[in-house]
Amino acid sequence: MDNVRNLFQLLSRNFGLLNEQCCENCCGQEVSNVQSHILYEINRQHHPSMQEVAGALGMDITTFSRQVKTLVDKGFVKKTPHPSDNRMNILSLTSEGLSIENNINLTVNAQLQHVLSTMSEFERDTVIRSIKLFNDAMQKSVSCCTPPQ
Amino acid sequence: MDNVRNLFQLLSRNFGLLNEQCCENCCGQEVSNVQSHILYEINRQHHPSMQEVAGALGMDITTFSRQVKTLVDKGFVKKTPHPSDNRMNILSLTSEGLSIENNINLTVNAQLQHVLSTMSEFERDTVIRSIKLFNDAMQKSVSCCTPPQ
DNA sequence: TATATTATTTGCAAAATGCAAGTATTACTT
DNA sequence: AAGTAATACTTGCATTTTGCAAATAATATA
């Protein structure tokens, strides 16, 4: 009976640090950590609304609204009114936003591959498969991991 | 050639949300997310100084200093001058701080076990072993994962 | 003894946060 | 169809968090 929290706490801390440093390295302070999460999620979803992205990130919608505004001002994100419901805004990355997101992606991936390269191919595959497995399990688990409301 | 970042990004986000919610649940807003990380790390290390904890968490020392002050005021953390070097403060949890840390630990672990319970025992073991493996690899990798300076 | 180095704290100004209340638009209700 | 409710988002405001620069205090070095 391990203390599983320890493992995840360390993992998420280390990944957080790596992510943050990569952000700074490849786009020189242009985006904060939360902002990089927002870019990531906008890119991942299919024509998401504000609420969908904020919900996925577990962010307060008012904080999110302001962060998006900042990203729009910086020219990284575009807000398009929903065609059939003008209350909603569809979020998308501008080409510049996409390029930054790709940059972060490349940098973080390179670092992770570097970490993984110290393992055998078998271990590497196992690790990757395990994390997929756990992510899926977490997604299915309704009792947690769902942003409040 | 997977996009490994995706996996880790999702994992760390989900764990972050879980952690945050557990904090609120079991100690009713008494500690913020960063503060729970601080409690965690003080508990984990052996008579750590301010810099040791701040360093491990990759936090700016001035921000850290103020957060610790808050935790001291709340009665969760104790600062003891280092016996042979009065510049340093040794950090420790008070009994109340420890009890809160244990509470968070129990709650988060229960949630994680719940997620893991959807898997077969083999999968569960593999996942846990994989994360250990990755954590170790990350710790060894000097090119990243080390807080600035 | 004077100077440098280390550990931590404060000043300050900027950024981030979240509740309450606002606006605008669409959905119901009778 | 008019009025009410609900939804999606924004803004006001007060608090908290953040990090650089500079200050303080204690130890190490020259």
Side-chain angles (χ1 to χ4, degrees):
Chain A
M1 191 56 129
D2 271 301
N3 185 337
V4 191
R5 182 198 173 205
N6 276 324
L7 301 175
F8 284 95
Q9 182 98 351
L10 286 179
L11 178 62
S12 100
R13 177 205 297 173
N14 283 331
F15 178 74
L17 288 175
L18 185 152
N19 210 20
E20 217 159 328
Q21 274 185 279
C22 287
C23 273
E24 287 179 12
N25 285 347
C26 66
C27 30
Q29 305 275 23
E30 284 182 291
V31 294
S32 73
N33 203 35
V34 272
Q35 285 166 3
S36 98
H37 274 269
I38 295 175
L39 295 182
Y40 171 88
E41 189 61 22
I42 291 176
N43 196 35
R44 211 175 87 92
Q45 288 195 29
H46 180 67
H47 299 325
S49 69
M50 304 265 297
Q51 288 208 324
E52 281 169 321
V53 178
L57 296 173
M59 280 183 73
D60 179 273
I61 188 71
T62 71
T63 304
F64 182 77
S65 170
R66 274 182 267 248
Q67 287 286 8
V68 167
K69 193 179 182 181
T70 309
L71 288 168
V72 169
D73 290 346
K74 285 185 177 179
F76 301 157
V77 167
K78 205 176 114 192
K79 267 158 77 174
T80 318
H82 189 284
S84 69
D85 187 341
N86 270 306
R87 289 173 299 184
M88 284 194 258
N89 286 116
I90 300 304
L91 298 176
S92 58
L93 299 186
T94 65
S95 59
E96 199 183 350
L98 185 60
S99 131
I100 285 191
E101 168 61 16
N102 286 339
N103 250 324
I104 299 177
N105 233 346
L106 279 174
T107 316
V108 175
N109 265 315
Q111 292 278 17
L112 289 172
Q113 295 290 355
H114 180 258
V115 172
L116 289 168
S117 73
T118 62
M119 306 178 184
S120 74
E121 192 176 334
F122 174 73
E123 290 176 323
R124 199 158 43 234
D125 288 350
T126 309
V127 166
I128 291 179
R129 196 139 12 85
S130 289
I131 295 184
K132 272 185 193 151
L133 203 65
F134 186 81
N135 279 346
D136 290 344
M138 216 148 181
Q139 224 65 19
K140 280 182 208 131
S141 175
V142 274
S143 80
C144 68
C145 324
T146 45
Q149 307 285 2
Chain B
M1 191 57 127
D2 272 300
N3 185 336
V4 192
R5 182 195 172 206
N6 277 323
L7 301 175
F8 284 96
Q9 182 98 350
L10 286 179
L11 178 62
S12 99
R13 178 205 296 174
N14 283 331
F15 178 72
L17 288 174
L18 184 151
N19 211 19
E20 218 159 329
Q21 274 186 278
C22 286
C23 273
E24 287 178 11
N25 284 346
C26 66
C27 30
Q29 306 274 23
E30 285 183 288
V31 292
S32 74
N33 203 36
V34 272
Q35 284 166 5
S36 98
H37 275 269
I38 294 175
L39 295 183
Y40 171 88
E41 190 61 23
I42 292 177
N43 195 36
R44 211 174 86 94
Q45 288 196 28
H46 180 68
H47 299 326
S49 70
M50 304 267 295
Q51 287 208 325
E52 281 170 321
V53 178
L57 296 172
M59 280 183 73
D60 180 271
I61 188 70
T62 71
T63 304
F64 182 78
S65 169
R66 275 183 267 248
Q67 287 286 7
V68 167
K69 193 179 180 181
T70 309
L71 288 169
V72 170
D73 290 347
K74 285 183 177 181
F76 301 156
V77 168
K78 205 176 115 192
K79 267 159 76 174
T80 318
H82 189 284
S84 70
D85 187 342
N86 269 306
R87 288 172 299 183
M88 284 194 258
N89 286 117
I90 300 303
L91 297 176
S92 57
L93 299 187
T94 64
S95 59
E96 199 183 350
L98 185 59
S99 129
I100 285 191
E101 169 61 15
N102 286 339
N103 250 323
I104 299 177
N105 232 346
L106 279 174
T107 316
V108 174
N109 265 315
Q111 292 278 17
L112 289 172
Q113 294 292 354
H114 179 258
V115 172
L116 290 168
S117 73
T118 62
M119 306 178 184
S120 75
E121 191 175 337
F122 174 75
E123 289 176 324
R124 199 158 41 233
D125 288 351
T126 309
V127 166
I128 291 179
R129 196 138 14 85
S130 290
I131 295 184
K132 273 185 192 152
L133 203 65
F134 187 81
N135 279 346
D136 290 345
M138 215 149 182
Q139 224 65 20
K140 280 184 208 130
S141 175
V142 275
S143 82
C144 68
C145 325
T146 45
Q149 309 282 3

